[in-house]
Amino acid sequence: MTKPHNTETTTQHVSQPQMEQEAVLAALSSANPQQRLQAALSIGITAEDRHLGDLIQRCRIDPDFFVRDMLTWAITRMPAKAAVDLLIAELRSDVPQAQSQALHTLSKIGEPRGWEAMDPGIIGTELIAHSDTEVARSAWRAAVALVPGDDRERLASTLVTQLGRGDIETQKSLSRAIVSLGEDLVSVLDGRLQAEEETVRTHAMATRDMFTDPDAGFAHALSEAKRVVALGSEASA
């Protein structure tokens, strides 16, 4: 006679860690952003690196800013070497959000290998000049956070190649990144002040003004730069 199936015995074959992993995955993929945020918080508190891959995977697709921010925090709680290895791999993803979140998280961890993976002197401008604006902005912020002192001028010279790009918020992000590298680098803007494109000239001028008067704000500096450029165009007409 066939013995009746013992469901209790079968359940015992599922290990506690496996059950916890499944619960975490379910919470991280919940339709409720508050549940996802709570799951990321819980993982960060316990800081068990077996959840590291799940966190990074979720960073690729989560639509909620606050959840992504909590995911980043949780990742920074994990062993840095393992986290940085996986995050550097994400920089080569074909998913822009994966790249953007990886850049952001690397800047928070602050390990030198993060800079090496995004250094335009090594990989070129593929991140600094990325076609996706959010990836580019994340690259600017991460680069200035991680760049060693000796590489500041080289980074600034790369960043100014993006002057004139995007809307006012994008331009403000770039100007802030350049200015944060230090007032001794204001001269990197000189060549862009005579650029053929008016948007590049005005952006360069506004950024230079932020070096001298950071409290004035970017919108004011850009408005003043546009006025000066317009007056110059009228005078040469």
Side-chain angles (χ1 to χ4, degrees):
M1 179 180 294
T2 303
K3 291 183 178 180
H5 184 65
N6 190 328
T7 56
E8 182 179 351
T9 302
T10 303
T11 303
Q12 290 175 352
H13 290 165
V14 180
S15 66
Q16 186 69 21
Q18 183 180 347
M19 293 174 65
E20 291 176 358
Q21 182 84 352
E22 291 174 354
V24 165
L25 289 174
L28 281 178
S29 59
S30 168
N32 186 329
Q34 192 60 39
Q35 290 183 7
R36 301 199 304 274
L37 189 148
Q38 186 60 49
L41 173 63
S42 298
I43 294 171
I45 290 173
T46 57
E48 295 182 34
D49 58 3
R50 61 195 174 97
H51 296 310
L52 180 56
D54 300 326
L55 294 172
I56 291 179
Q57 175 67 28
R58 189 66 205 177
C59 281
R60 297 176 181 175
I61 58 175
D62 202 287
D64 188 278
F65 169 81
F66 296 104
V67 174
R68 294 197 303 272
D69 209 41
M70 187 63 74
L71 291 167
T72 286
W73 174 79
I75 293 170
T76 65
R77 299 265 299 156
M78 302 294 175
K81 183 181 184 308
V84 170
D85 286 345
L86 292 178
L87 290 167
I88 287 175
E90 288 292 275
L91 297 183
R92 297 187 292 274
S93 172
D94 58 0
V95 179
Q97 183 169 299
Q99 295 175 292
S100 179
Q101 282 298 121
L103 286 162
H104 175 63
T105 309
L106 284 168
S107 74
K108 296 297 183 184
I109 295 174
E111 187 176 291
R113 282 193 302 138
W115 165 248
E116 294 168 7
M118 70 182 72
D119 181 356
I122 297 175
I123 70 167
T125 60
E126 62 184 79
L127 293 174
I128 296 294
H130 199 284
S131 59
D132 185 280
T133 299
E134 287 309 308
V135 175
R137 290 175 65 175
S138 295
W140 303 339
R141 291 189 291 262
V144 299
L146 295 172
V147 63
D150 292 344
D151 291 335
R152 287 184 308 118
E153 184 171 0
R154 179 162 56 82
L155 174 59
S157 296
T158 304
L159 290 175
V160 298
T161 66
Q162 301 303 298
L163 287 168
R165 172 178 177 171
D167 61 15
I168 188 170
E169 289 302 315
T170 301
Q171 293 185 11
K172 180 167 66 175
S173 291
L174 180 60
S175 293
R176 284 178 171 174
I178 295 170
V179 171
S180 72
L181 289 171
E183 60 183 12
D184 57 312
L185 298 178
V186 66
S187 62
V188 300
L189 296 164
D190 291 349
R192 304 286 161 169
L193 295 173
Q194 307 301 324
E196 182 177 346
E197 301 88 348
E198 184 174 310
T199 54
V200 174
R201 295 202 307 275
T202 57
H203 194 184
M205 195 175 299
T207 306
R208 186 184 62 178
D209 289 346
M210 289 181 68
F211 270 105
T212 57
D213 188 9
D215 295 330
F218 180 74
H220 172 79
L222 185 62
S223 177
E224 181 63 18
K226 287 179 177 179
R227 185 185 69 82
V228 171
V229 168
L231 289 173
S233 298
E234 291 174 4
S236 61

